[in-house]
Amino acid sequence: MSAKLKTSIDTFIGDFGQMVETIRIAGLSGEVTAEDITLQECYTDCCATIASKGVLSVTQSGDVTEIKVEPFLYRIDFSVEVKGQTILKADIADITVRDEELFAKRIDGDVVYRLYEPKASAPRPLILFLHGGGECGSDNLLQLTGTIGAISLAKRFPDMFVLAPQAPDYGTTMQEFFAKLIATGDPFRVCVGAPTNISLGDRGWNRDYVGRVCDLIRKMIAEGRVDASRVYVIGMSMGGAGVITTVSSAPDLFAAAVPICPSMNGDSYPLLENWPDVPAYIATAYIDHQAGRHAYILRALTKLWESGRKDMKYTLFTPEELEAYGIFASPNLTEREIRAANHNSWVLVLHNEYGILDWMISHRK
């Protein structure tokens, strides 16, 4: 990229995470038209197979060229070519995220989190949002941008606190963590009694970390800011398993829980099978990349239902329901890609399909 070109982008959080909608480039000479611009690796769907329609409009003011595009996925390594000059994603340092400002940045000890605060002064309900495995770290941003989630909840329930902590990675990448799981057995099967992956220092929603997240909520309750009878927890994938771990860690704290496509393993399955007295609604796709997930969940819930628990609900989204949200079994996809796409079932929950969010906030302790 030419040193003269300074590039910024505007993004928002769509159903499949952070999406680019505007590109601004300073330092281009002469008139720039849509025909002068080529977008590479710019996709609109969760599987990164449908190309963006590209440039919608181009305007120029002074030395700044503003390019409006059909929104495309930020997570893919895209590039923009303008008049023979190529701008790589890695070259773009100035990135805005629509509605990020709704959430204050906070750190308490080594607990990194974002907090949306309602304007109401009386004690208000709180929703704890737990992100998935790809958003671990310490940048205090990925938990807002990686998927639809915290921002969507704050906009739907502006009268409630939304607490979005970021799970630690302790310097371990997702690939390294997965390799560790494989080394101790099949990470897609439930092996009760296998070495735990939620102990002190483990990447993700380990018991020590979620315990301290719960301490933050207790502090807000003690300060009179949060209604102790209306604290909820929701999360997806690794965060769905994190919901199970968190409720296990502090069952007295929550009025209701929504684990979405929770990872089923030797940690989460026995905790779910012995679920405490907290209403829960579990939702996932009819099948995804963990083929046995749905059977494990059903087996644990069946045990609870047979014991008389009527406050445990379970929904499997059908292919048609997923397709309505752009999560589809295209003939251009492999079976593995279809299953991976189906894992995005949290999109339906965050759009309140089956009234799952309404069900959650209707509960009081």
Side-chain angles (χ1 to χ4, degrees):
M1 182 183 73
S2 168
K4 295 181 180 179
L5 299 182
K6 182 179 180 182
T7 306
S8 63
I9 58 174
D10 293 341
T11 68
F12 67 95
I13 309 306
D15 284 351
F16 305 127
Q18 192 171 6
M19 306 289 289
V20 178
E21 61 180 347
T22 305
I23 304 166
R24 294 184 186 84
I25 306 171
L28 289 171
S29 59
E31 181 183 6
V32 178
T33 67
E35 289 70 30
D36 297 318
I37 304 167
T38 302
L39 303 180
Q40 298 288 345
E41 303 297 318
C42 297
Y43 301 101
T44 62
D45 65 309
C46 61
C47 295
T49 59
I50 301 175
S52 166
K53 294 176 182 176
V55 178
L56 301 178
S57 67
V58 181
T59 57
Q60 291 181 283
S61 178
D63 72 339
V64 176
T65 301
E66 182 174 280
I67 305 165
K68 295 285 187 182
V69 297
E70 181 187 27
F72 59 82
L73 297 168
Y74 173 78
R75 62 180 169 84
I76 304 298
D77 288 331
F78 63 87
S79 64
V80 182
E81 186 173 313
V82 185
K83 287 190 168 184
Q85 299 189 71
T86 300
I87 302 167
L88 303 177
K89 174 185 173 181
D91 297 324
I92 304 171
D94 187 1
I95 304 165
T96 63
V97 181
R98 189 195 307 168
D99 298 318
E100 179 195 352
E101 72 281 357
L102 295 175
F103 285 78
K105 279 188 176 182
R106 301 284 173 82
I107 298 177
D108 189 294
D110 66 347
V111 176
V112 175
Y113 66 101
R114 290 293 193 108
L115 182 66
Y116 167 79
E117 300 190 53
K119 294 179 180 177
S121 58
R124 301 303 307 156
L126 180 144
I127 300 172
L128 172 61
F129 171 74
L130 303 183
H131 62 74
E135 290 75 56
C136 295
S138 57
D139 71 346
N140 213 356
L141 180 62
L142 266 176
Q143 74 268 40
L144 296 185
T145 63
T147 64
I148 185 174
I151 289 176
S152 175
L153 289 167
K155 293 174 75 172
R156 179 177 286 273
F157 302 114
D159 58 322
M160 301 185 184
F161 287 93
V162 178
L163 174 62
Q166 185 174 26
D169 62 12
Y170 300 118
T172 303
T173 66
M174 187 68 170
Q175 292 73 24
E176 291 168 339
F177 180 69
F178 200 68
K180 174 190 172 185
L181 297 181
I182 292 174
T184 58
D186 187 340
F188 292 133
R189 293 194 177 187
V190 167
C191 299
V192 178
T196 181
N197 290 296
I198 54 172
S199 62
L200 185 67
D202 279 327
R203 185 185 197 275
W205 301 113
N206 66 70
R207 297 190 69 90
D208 170 64
Y209 196 79
V210 300
R212 285 182 285 126
V213 170
C214 291
D215 285 346
L216 289 176
I217 300 174
R218 295 184 196 280
K219 181 179 178 182
M220 294 174 69
I221 292 171
E223 293 170 344
R225 301 163 66 197
V226 169
D227 181 349
S229 69
R230 300 188 68 195
V231 177
Y232 312 106
V233 58
I234 182 172
M236 69 272 281
S237 191
M238 183 197 77
V243 170
I244 294 171
T245 303
T246 302
V247 172
S248 166
S249 175
D252 62 306
L253 189 58
F254 298 100
V258 178
I260 311 167
C261 52
S263 304
M264 283 284 102
N265 51 48
D267 289 315
S268 60
Y269 176 79
L271 292 178
L272 180 59
E273 194 178 40
N274 296 282
W275 188 255
D277 189 21
V278 177
Y281 198 135
I282 302 177
T284 188
Y286 65 96
I287 193 169
D288 65 11
H289 68 280
Q290 185 183 6
R293 183 193 318 270
H294 323 90
Y296 292 132
I297 294 171
L298 180 60
R299 179 168 294 184
L301 290 180
T302 298
K303 177 183 175 182
L304 294 169
W305 291 329
E306 289 177 346
S307 73
R309 292 290 296 271
K310 296 182 179 181
D311 56 355
M312 305 296 291
K313 298 177 71 67
Y314 188 29
T315 287
L316 288 174
F317 295 117
T318 66
E320 294 79 11
E321 290 170 328
L322 294 167
E323 186 172 348
Y325 285 89
I327 305 167
F328 51 87
S330 165
N332 297 322
L333 300 176
T334 65
E335 179 66 21
R336 182 178 181 179
E337 289 170 331
I338 291 169
R339 291 188 180 193
N342 287 351
H343 195 47
N344 288 266
S345 57
W346 54 76
V347 172
L348 284 71
V349 177
L350 270 298
H351 278 280
N352 202 30
E353 286 293 327
Y354 288 88
I356 294 173
L357 297 179
D358 293 335
W359 175 93
M360 178 180 74
I361 67 165
S362 72
H363 286 79
R364 290 177 176 270
K365 283 199 303 177

